[in-house]
Amino acid sequence: MRFDVVTLFPGLFDALLDFGITGRALDRGLFRFKAWNPRDFATDSYRSVDDRPYGGGPGMVMLAEPLDAVMDAIEAELRQESVEPHVIYFTPRGRPLDHAKVAELARRPQLTLIAGRYEGVDERFLRRRVHEEISLGDFVLSGGEIPALAVMDAVIRQLPGSLNNVESAMQESFADGLLEAPCYTRPEVWQGEAVPEVLMSGNHKAIERWRLQQRLKLTAQRRPDLLEKRGLSRAEKDLLDGD
Ligand code: 9WO
């Protein structure tokens, strides 16, 4: 997997490249990363990447020209590797990100992630160069970098070899469409509240049953839409309705 990230603030991505599972995956060569700063492709002496919006209104809009020059440079590099870019722009108006989309993106050889700033990007650039728009949710951030980091993190976790057995077990659990069961660790009683007895029983079958029941109940309470989409077996229905 190769990530080409278009951003005015490349340093924001150090958080993903230098730490944790994603930093380990980079060290293992499971993915490559290159940041491209539109300011390096600005053609005027002020190295402008934005300008005032036509039609008036507050703030500035990112210029199409420097961004287009970045895309040409990325395409030229990818051509050396016979790879076609897949270009994503992050905006609240995009398709909501979910596990299915993450899994689809993780199967691609390359992703170009465009992180906008200011009030947005000239629509003529988006229409010509962007393949899809993705949203993290119905809220506005200061830039597209955090959504780009989120997509990179989620995609990297899908790459073969990035997770150890424990980490992949956790990952798979969400992939089966249910929310996570509650988890507990020492002390056995904390501020007067004990760990659920079944977890102290050593009865692995009972523990597995309890955890699935908790997941079913939590998902039914908090995300009935997930349950609707996933469906339930007869046994799961009985477990959900049982005590
Ligand atoms: C901002 C915006 C607000 C309401 C409806 C649509 C919108 N599009 C954008 C936009 O493209 N903004 C650019 C990227 C420039 C300003 C910072 N940007 C941004 C992206 N803010 N918030 C996001 C974002 C991206 C994905 N999921 C949630 C928020």
Side-chain angles (χ1 to χ4, degrees), residues 34-149:
K34 182 167 183 175
W36 301 77
N37 190 331
R39 206 169 291 285
D40 298 334
F41 292 80
T43 48
D44 67 330
S45 51
Y46 298 99
R47 300 182 74 207
S48 305
V49 292
D50 63 307
D51 207 332
R52 295 186 309 286
Y54 281 120
M60 305 291 271
V61 173
M62 292 187 78
L63 293 162
E65 188 54 37
L67 289 169
D68 203 48
V70 173
M71 302 308 286
D72 289 345
I74 293 173
E75 281 187 1
E77 257 195 35
L78 293 179
R79 213 171 292 123
Q80 307 298 318
E81 304 175 17
S82 311
V83 169
E84 282 294 312
H86 183 70
V87 184
I88 300 170
Y89 178 68
F90 298 99
T91 164
R93 76 181 188 190
R95 175 204 189 278
L97 183 67
D98 60 11
H99 177 75
K101 175 53 73 174
V102 169
E104 175 207 311
L105 294 177
R107 290 192 288 269
R108 291 182 174 280
Q110 186 273 352
L111 296 174
T112 300
L113 308 179
I114 300 178
R117 281 275 161 170
Y118 303 103
E119 299 314 303
V121 171
D122 190 305
E123 192 67 19
R124 291 166 294 184
F125 168 81
L126 298 178
R127 268 209 309 276
R128 290 166 183 237
R129 304 302 296 254
V130 171
H131 296 119
E132 59 177 317
E133 295 185 346
I134 289 179
S135 170
L136 283 195
D138 298 330
F139 48 83
V140 180
L141 300 165
S142 307
E145 284 83 7
I146 289 173
L149 282 161

